[in-house]
């Protein structure tokens, strides 16, 4: 992972306006396919919030161009498969071939050029929800919507 894409946890902007505190939103996708907004009052996401959201140590998935180009990160439990967590997302290519499975909770956030982990904009939340539920070329599908057939070559 490039150094600039690592979690920094340092503040990058002020979200306090005339003494009013704004709620910053992150989006959590649970293995049951339910989205939940996670609110925070800090301008950047803390490591403890990331770890609590994914129930363990975190890993950022930033190799998906469609999300990366919009400045969106997917945070997952870095041992989700090893811990046999319930699958939450299937990442598939344009032909429907499975590329990877994400196990456990997925937290979506924004990032900036300094690698800061930031809250989502409302349009990001709409984009993520739409993208995770529609089948288009190069797509994600909630794991609850995928039927698997396992075959073994002899």
């Amino acid at each position: 992972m490039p150094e600039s894409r690592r979690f920094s946890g340092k503040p990058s902007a002020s979200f306090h306006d005339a003494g009013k505190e704004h709620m910053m939103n992150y989006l959590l996708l649970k293995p049951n396919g339910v989205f939940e907004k996670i609110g925070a009052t800090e301008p950047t996401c803390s490591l403890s919030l990331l770890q609590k959201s994914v129930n363990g140590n975190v890993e950022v998935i930033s190799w998906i161009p469609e999300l990366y180009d919009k400045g969106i990160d997917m945070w997952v439990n870095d041992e989700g498969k090893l811990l046999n967590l319930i699958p939450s997302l299937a990442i598939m290519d344009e032909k429907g071939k499975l590329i990877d499975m994400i196990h456990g909770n997925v937290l979506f956030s924004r990032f900036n050029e300094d690698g800061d982990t930031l809250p989502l904009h409302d349009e990001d939340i709409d984009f993520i929800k739409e993208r995770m539920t529609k089948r288009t070329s190069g797509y994600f599908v909630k794991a609850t919507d995928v039927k698997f057939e396992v075959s073994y070559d002899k």
Side-chain angles (χ1 to χ4, degrees):
M1 165 183 356
E3 189 66 34
S4 65
R5 297 295 303 121
R6 296 177 193 265
F7 174 78
S8 73
K10 61 184 176 177
S12 64
S14 174
F15 287 88
H16 301 280
D17 179 17
K20 289 172 50 177
E21 211 170 61
H22 296 278
M23 185 62 70
M24 273 59 74
N25 289 310
Y26 300 90
L27 190 64
L28 186 71
L29 174 62
K30 296 184 175 188
N32 62 3
V34 172
F35 286 102
E36 179 181 314
K37 278 187 183 179
I38 303 292
T41 55
E42 299 84 25
T44 59
C45 186
S46 68
L47 180 58
S48 62
L49 176 64
L50 291 171
Q51 290 174 328
K52 182 179 176 185
S53 298
V54 302
N55 300 314
N57 293 328
V58 295
E59 175 183 1
V60 65
I61 296 180
S62 58
W63 51 263
I64 301 166
E66 165 173 42
L67 294 177
Y68 185 84
D69 292 345
K70 287 194 165 287
I72 298 172
D73 275 335
M74 286 175 41
W75 292 91
V76 300
N77 185 311
D78 74 345
E79 295 180 329
K81 291 176 186 164
L82 294 172
L83 296 172
N84 203 26
L85 298 179
I86 298 169
S88 52
L89 276 180
I91 302 174
M92 306 173 107
D93 68 14
E94 64 277 355
K95 295 178 183 174
K97 180 181 176 188
L98 182 65
I99 296 170
D100 198 2
M101 288 293 294
I102 306 301
H103 294 246
N105 291 345
V106 178
L107 184 74
F108 295 92
S109 68
R110 290 195 63 73
F111 64 87
N112 65 15
E113 63 278 353
D114 294 327
D116 298 323
T117 302
L118 305 170
L120 295 168
H121 301 139
D122 290 339
E123 58 270 13
D124 297 330
I125 292 172
D126 295 339
F127 172 79
I128 293 164
K129 285 182 175 181
E130 179 182 328
R131 201 64 191 116
M132 298 300 146
T133 56
K134 290 193 175 177
R135 292 178 179 249
T136 58
S137 64
Y139 55 92
F140 307 92
V141 179
K142 288 189 271 185
T144 54
D145 297 337
V146 177
K147 305 232 182 312
F148 296 97
E149 181 177 314
V150 178
S151 63
Y152 297 95
D153 295 329
K154 293 183 181 185

